[in-house]
Amino acid sequence: MTNKEIYIKLFVTNFKLKPEELPGLKYRSIKAWDSLGHMTLMEDMEEAFDISIDTPDVLAFSSFEKGMDILRKYGVDI
């Protein structure tokens, strides 16, 4: 499984969405992506990619697309 496939799967699993619903998805745009859902997603990202996301990046992780940019900063090739 590629890193992008893993990334997509984390969103699909955490937020019960279909992959085609992910482009343009923003924090708090759906009920499941609230503060608790966000922290769960961050924990799952850290575990899946064996990284530790700094607090400013957790706060900046505001959309599906922005998340890919942030992960690239940690050396995750997406």
Side-chain angles (χ1 to χ4, degrees):
M1 189 176 282
T2 68
N3 285 339
K4 186 159 186 181
E5 289 169 335
I6 293 168
Y7 182 74
I8 290 169
K9 184 177 179 185
L10 291 172
F11 272 87
V12 167
T13 302
N14 277 286
F15 302 138
K16 311 292 187 251
L17 298 170
K18 296 175 183 162
E20 57 269 17
E21 296 175 293
L22 300 178
L25 183 69
K26 296 188 182 326
Y27 175 58
R28 295 191 181 235
S29 65
I30 58 170
K31 186 176 182 179
W33 198 357
D34 58 6
S35 57
L36 182 58
H38 188 71
M39 293 312 297
T40 301
L41 179 65
M42 295 301 99
E43 291 171 10
D44 290 349
M45 292 281 170
E46 289 180 331
E47 185 176 320
F49 298 114
D50 195 29
I51 58 173
S52 181
I53 303 172
D54 296 332
T55 301
D57 289 325
V58 169
L59 298 173
F61 201 114
S62 58
S63 71
F64 177 75
E65 288 79 11
K66 180 71 175 174
M68 288 187 276
D69 292 338
I70 290 171
L71 289 180
R72 286 185 193 103
K73 178 178 164 182
Y74 291 88
V76 178
D77 184 27
I78 289 191

